[in-house]
Amino acid sequence: MVEHKLSCEHLPVDPARMCDVLAGLYRYWVGLATPPDLPEWGGAAGTGFRLVDLPTETLSILTVVDVGPEDTDYVYRYWGTARDLFQGKRPDPTGRRLLDGLKKVSASNILAQYKEVSRSGRPTLVHNIWPLDNGLSAECETLRLPLRSGGPGVGKIVAATQFIRHADEFRRLRERID
């Protein structure tokens, strides 16, 4: 049996090196920024970063997380339908704390990534790799983008994850180990 431990490599945030859907999301975010300020969270249809402006393909792989000083302040506010790939048989985590919505095997690593984006106020791009029982590895890219939310600093983080290899095998693994 393979140890199903996530490994992550931080990549330069460069749309030329991202998969198309993440590059499009990044360009949308950059287009809303007015340096040195971050884009403002606009919700479903408000002013700023708006879910209604995003293509369905992007919305399905997207999540929005509230941030705060404590680990328990990180709460899922939006969870795209294609992200069920990460949940296995567990329910949609919208409205739940980040730590409650993650598998124990990857929770501390993912929380640390969110905290770094919150602290730095800068986007991150991460290449994620999960070893599979068949000797292959499932691979995806995750882009995390900070947003203001009614005040200074980071109030929310938008994240999108696009699988590059072996998503179906990863889904079967998640469903089996739940």
Side-chain angles (χ1 to χ4, degrees):
M1 181 79 149
V2 172
E3 182 182 3
H4 300 288
K5 185 174 181 189
L6 169 68
S7 75
C8 301
E9 175 188 4
H10 288 268
L11 302 174
V13 180
D14 176 359
R17 297 181 67 186
M18 295 176 200
C19 60
D20 291 343
V21 68
L22 297 185
L25 177 63
Y26 180 74
R27 284 191 285 276
Y28 172 69
W29 179 86
V30 166
L32 295 172
T34 52
D37 290 330
L38 296 170
E40 182 74 25
W41 167 245
T47 302
F49 188 102
R50 303 172 342 146
L51 296 179
V52 72
D53 292 337
L54 301 175
T56 303
E57 176 187 23
T58 304
L59 286 172
S60 69
I61 63 169
L62 195 79
T63 186
V64 178
V65 174
D66 293 341
V67 303
E70 304 299 324
D71 292 358
T72 56
D73 295 329
Y74 288 74
V75 174
Y76 289 110
R77 289 297 161 214
Y78 175 84
W79 184 267
T81 56
R83 294 188 67 85
D84 69 343
L85 179 66
F86 298 101
Q87 291 299 96
K89 297 173 185 162
R90 296 176 318 146
D92 177 330
T94 302
R96 295 171 52 204
R97 293 181 300 194
L98 184 96
L99 289 175
D100 296 338
L102 293 172
K103 299 261 185 198
K104 300 259 187 271
V105 69
S106 56
S108 62
N109 186 6
I110 293 172
L111 178 61
Q113 291 177 28
Y114 274 100
K115 289 173 85 169
E116 175 57 25
V117 172
S118 178
R119 185 199 62 73
S120 72
R122 295 193 336 240
T124 63
L125 179 64
V126 179
H127 182 84
N128 305 291
I129 302 169
W130 288 272
L132 301 169
D133 290 338
N134 61 8
L136 300 173
S137 292
E139 298 179 42
C140 63
E141 290 180 354
T142 299
L143 177 65
R144 289 193 173 80
L145 303 168
L147 299 171
R148 288 182 301 121
S149 185
V154 178
K156 297 205 182 315
I157 297 172
V158 171
T161 301
Q162 179 66 43
F163 265 83
I164 300 165
R165 285 180 206 30
H166 307 300
D168 290 336
E169 290 88 345
F170 180 80
R171 179 186 307 276
R172 285 191 288 276
L173 169 69
R174 280 296 194 230
E175 290 172 350
R176 196 180 73 244
I177 63 175
D178 268 348

